[in-house]
């Protein structure tokens, strides 16, 4: 593809100054300006062989357009950027023009946007530097949707990434680990330090790849699995026979019937065992 017009766009710092794009804490904004890093993230969004795995690439919170430009420079055929900050929409207008039909801006809140409908039912994937304050609800919304993306390559707080990927038995293992790994394959790709962002956050970020499973890891209803994990990890220091009494007054007998030792704690159960509990509800 001819990316000459994208390459000729003014530097991001000039765009930020021109449009007075001081990052808003309320929107969880931390802009990533290093083109080498944004290109690295964009390349990570490609499938094996350096090809895009889906017809459309959705970006959430493009801000001044650093990652947006990188996606276009890495030859994404169709990028849809969802942004709720009107200042950023104005700043992105020249990128839309330079992209010559390959970039669509969608004004709106990602938490209220149906991405499958936005992509008109065609396959799509997500590549995004997610706002820290809504990263977890966004990921759960997308992965549990009737038509989830084919793939997600997202930058989140390192602590959140570690919780998503945590194995049973580890300190970071919890509700998020169970739900995410139940419905998706998870891989941590690389870290990005605070100094790469404007303004620099107080934490390191991690790029995470999530590929939704064709079928969940084990049979369970989403709502029931969420109830079981909420009860179990809500009192994670307690034995399961106590932690699950809000679900079953006879929790000890229920656990024993399922072959789960009642004195175990939540972090020792694997995903299949949590699914067995969900099926028992």
């Amino acid at each position: 593809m001819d990316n000459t017009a994208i390459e000729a766009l003014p530097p991001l710092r000039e765009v930020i100054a021109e449009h007075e794009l001081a990052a808003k804490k309320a929107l969880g904004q931390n802009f990533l300006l290093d083109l080498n890093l944004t290109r690295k993230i964009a390349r990570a969004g490609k499938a094996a062989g350096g090809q895009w795995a889906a017809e459309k690439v959705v970006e959430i919170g493009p801000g001044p357009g650093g990652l947006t430009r990188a996606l276009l420079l890495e030859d994404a055929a169709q990028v849809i950027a969802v942004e709720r900050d009107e200042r950023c929409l104005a700043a992105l207008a020249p990128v839309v023009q330079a992209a010559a039909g390959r970039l669509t801006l969608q004004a709106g809140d990602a938490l209220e946007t149906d991405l499958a409908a936005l992509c008109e039912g065609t396959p799509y994937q997500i590549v995004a530097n997610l706002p820290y304050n809504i990263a977890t609800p966004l990921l759960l919304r997308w992965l549990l949707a009737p038509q989830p993306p084919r793939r997600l390559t997202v930058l989140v707080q390192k602590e959140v990434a570690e919780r998503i990927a945590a194995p049973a038995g580890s300190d970071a293992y919890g509700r998020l680990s169970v739900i995410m790994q139940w419905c998706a394959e998870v891989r941590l790709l690389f870290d990005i330090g605070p100094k790469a962002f404007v303004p620099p956050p107080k934490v390191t970020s991690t790029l995470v790849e999530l590929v939704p499973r064709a079928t969940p890891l084990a049979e369970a209803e989403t709502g029931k699995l969420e109830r079981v994990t909420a009860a179990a990890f809500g009192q994670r220091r307690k034995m399961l026979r106590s932690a699950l009494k809000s679900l079953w007054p006879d929790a000890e007998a229920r656990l024993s019937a399922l072959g789960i030792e009642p004195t175990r704690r939540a972090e020792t159960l694997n995903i299949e065992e949590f699914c067995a509990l969900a099926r028992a509800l």
Side-chain angles (χ1 to χ4, degrees), residues 23-279:
K24 291 185 177 180
K25 188 174 182 180
L27 298 179
Q29 291 175 330
N30 295 93
F31 302 140
L32 187 58
L33 307 185
D34 186 330
L35 186 57
N36 291 323
L37 285 174
T38 54
R39 291 285 291 264
K40 187 177 180 181
I41 293 169
R43 287 193 295 271
K46 295 182 177 182
Q51 301 297 318
W52 290 100
E55 294 176 19
K56 296 183 180 180
V57 179
V58 178
E59 183 190 3
I60 303 300
L67 180 55
T68 316
R69 296 185 190 190
L71 292 168
L72 295 166
L73 289 170
E74 288 297 329
D75 296 331
Q78 184 63 51
V79 178
I80 300 175
V82 180
E83 177 60 73
R84 61 177 293 189
D85 189 340
E86 291 184 1
R87 302 172 306 156
C88 294
L89 292 171
L92 288 164
V95 188
V96 174
Q97 185 174 359
R102 290 196 291 140
L103 173 61
T104 302
L105 290 185
Q106 175 68 34
D109 188 336
L111 282 169
E112 299 173 359
T113 302
D114 183 339
L115 297 188
L118 185 62
C119 294
E120 299 176 338
T122 60
Y124 69 100
Q125 66 184 87
I126 296 170
V127 182
N129 170 23
L130 295 181
Y132 285 160
N133 55 349
I134 57 170
T136 297
L138 280 176
L139 290 173
L140 289 170
R141 173 184 173 87
W142 295 331
L143 288 171
L144 299 174
Q147 186 183 341
R150 283 190 176 179
R151 195 165 179 232
L152 299 90
T153 310
V154 292
L155 199 59
V156 298
Q157 285 184 339
K158 185 172 184 176
E159 179 188 355
V160 173
E162 290 175 340
R163 285 167 53 206
I164 290 171
S170 65
D171 290 341
Y173 185 68
R175 293 177 62 188
L176 194 60
S177 320
V178 174
I179 301 295
M180 292 287 192
Q181 294 174 43
W182 172 66
C183 62
E185 296 179 18
V186 179
R187 190 162 64 107
L188 305 187
L189 301 180
F190 55 82
D191 294 344
I192 296 180
K195 292 181 180 179
F197 297 87
V198 177
K202 297 179 180 179
V203 296
T204 296
S205 300
T206 299
L207 191 68
V208 183
E209 177 192 75
L210 300 110
V211 179
R213 301 179 188 275
T215 56
L217 203 57
E219 183 184 350
E221 291 181 19
T222 303
K224 291 181 178 180
L225 185 58
E226 289 179 327
R227 285 178 61 197
V228 166
T229 53
F233 287 106
Q235 304 181 73
R236 65 183 299 151
R237 295 190 180 278
K238 290 189 175 183
M239 296 179 184
L240 288 170
R241 64 187 180 191
S242 298
L244 296 181
K245 277 196 171 180
S246 60
L247 299 179
W248 296 292
D250 58 342
E252 185 162 0
R254 290 272 186 162
L255 288 161
S256 296
L258 292 170
I260 298 173
E261 176 55 53
T263 57
R264 290 171 65 186
R265 290 179 170 79
E267 67 267 19
T268 71
L269 267 63
N270 61 34
I271 296 169
E272 290 83 355
E273 288 174 313
F274 274 112
C275 289
L277 287 169
R279 292 193 299 272

